[in-house]
Amino acid sequence: GAVVSQHPSWVICKSGTSVKIECRSLDFQATTMFWYRQFPKQSLMLMATSNEGSKATYEQGVEKDKFLINHASLTLSTLTVTSAHPEDSSFYICSATGGPGYGYTFGSGTRLTVV
Amino acid sequence: DQQVKQNSPSLSVQEGRISILNCDYTNSMFDYFLWYKKYPAEGPTFLISISSIKDKNEDGRFTVFLNKSAKHLSLHIVPSQPGDSAVYFCAASEWGSQGNLIFGKGTKLSVKP
C-alpha cells in the first residue's frame, strides 16, 4: 500500500516553456504533499508543502510564481515550472502523507532538463 | 512493485548501542545507494552514500554496508545518540549519482536515553 506515482519520470524542454509534473497517491488520500528539488551532493531541498484545497506554503527563496503548485484533490498535486531556464534543470521529487501517524511515501522523481 | 524496500517501519535502540537499519532492493541496475535522515517538518537530509563498486563506506558514526549478491544494504550507527531519533530513508539510483532517486518508505528510529 501507500504508492505515489510521479509523472513524467524525465522531461526535456526548451528554455521559456512550462513543464507540469504530476504527483498522485494511488491508494490513499494524501492530505499533505511535499515537493523537493535535488541539489549537488544529493541534498534535497524542500520547495513547498501543499495541503489539499489550500494554497501551498513555499519555503524561503522559492519563487511561487515560477513554481506553481496545485493540490486540487486528495490524490493529486501538480508542480508547474513556468518559463523554465537551464538553471531549473534538476531532479524534482514529491512525497505524500495521509496525515499524522502516517509515513511519508516518495514518488519516483522527475529529471528535468531545460535546453 | 516497490524497487526499494525498508521492511521495518520502526526501530527502538538504547543510547550507546548500535542501530542497524536495513534496506533491500530488487533492481539489479541500481549502482548508487544513499541514506537520508528526516526530522519532522523538515526535508530529508543526505547522510551517506555508497557506490556499487564498494561494499562499505564509513563516515564517523555512520557506516553503510552493501551486499550486491543479496541486493541488501544496511546503515549502522555506532554509538547511537538520542539526536539520531528520526526517520531514515534508503534510496537507490541507476546511472550513479546522476540518476533519479527511488526511495524506500522509511524506518523510524527511536534512540532512548
Side-chain angles (χ1 to χ4, degrees), chain A residues 2 9 36 42 91 93 105 111, chain B residues 34 36 44 98-101 105:
Chain A
S9 56
Y36 300 91
Q42 293 81 46
F91 177 71
I93 193 165
T105 302
R111 175 73 57 181
Chain B
L34 310 92
Y36 286 83
Q98 303 304 311
N100 289 7
L101 294 171
K105 293 191 180 295

Side-chain angles (χ1 to χ4, degrees), chain A residues 1-4 9-10 36 38 41-46 91 93 103-111, chain B residues 2 32 34 36 38 40-46 49 87 89 97-106:
Chain A
V3 177
V4 171
S9 56
W10 61 271
Y36 300 91
Q38 183 182 356
K41 296 189 179 180
Q42 293 81 46
S43 64
L44 287 181
M45 181 194 80
L46 177 64
F91 177 71
I93 193 165
Y104 294 87
T105 302
F106 283 86
S108 54
T110 298
R111 175 73 57 181
Chain B
Q2 256 188 289
Y32 194 67
L34 310 92
Y36 286 83
K38 184 185 184 304
E42 295 181 10
T45 55
F46 169 73
S49 64
V87 179
F89 290 95
S97 60
Q98 303 304 311
N100 289 7
L101 294 171
I102 307 298
F103 279 83
K105 293 191 180 295

Side-chain angles (χ1 to χ4, degrees), chain A residues 3 5 7 10 12 21 23 25-26 40 42 47 51 71-72 77 87 94 99-101 104:
Chain A
V3 177
S5 173
H7 178 82
W10 61 271
I12 300 173
I21 302 169
C23 183
S25 57
L26 299 185
Q42 293 81 46
M47 298 174 67
N51 294 296
H71 192 165
S77 177
E87 57 264 31
C94 69
Y104 294 87

Side-chain angles (χ1 to χ4, degrees), chain B residues 8 35 52 57 66 73 81-83 88-89 94-95 99-100 108:
Chain B
S8 298
W35 283 95
S52 61
N57 189 25
L66 175 62
L73 67 155
Q81 299 172 355
Y88 289 78
F89 290 95
E94 302 178 35
W95 310 106
N100 289 7
K108 184 176 182 179

Side-chain angles (χ1 to χ4, degrees), chain A residues 5-75:
Chain A
S5 173
Q6 187 171 340
H7 178 82
S9 56
W10 61 271
V11 58
I12 300 173
C13 71
K14 289 186 177 181
S15 186
T17 62
S18 295
V19 174
K20 181 184 283 187
I21 302 169
E22 291 188 349
C23 183
R24 292 181 184 272
S25 57
L26 299 185
D27 51 3
F28 69 102
Q29 293 185 328
T31 54
T32 306
M33 287 190 172
F34 306 87
W35 287 95
Y36 300 91
R37 178 175 176 176
Q38 183 182 356
F39 278 91
K41 296 189 179 180
Q42 293 81 46
S43 64
L44 287 181
M45 181 194 80
L46 177 64
M47 298 174 67
T49 303
S50 73
N51 294 296
E52 184 266 339
S54 61
K55 289 184 178 180
T57 301
Y58 289 81
E59 296 298 306
Q60 193 171 7
V62 178
E63 298 176 61
K64 60 182 179 182
D65 294 331
K66 180 168 184 61
F67 298 99
L68 301 178
I69 291 172
N70 184 282
H71 192 165
S73 77
L74 282 169
T75 59

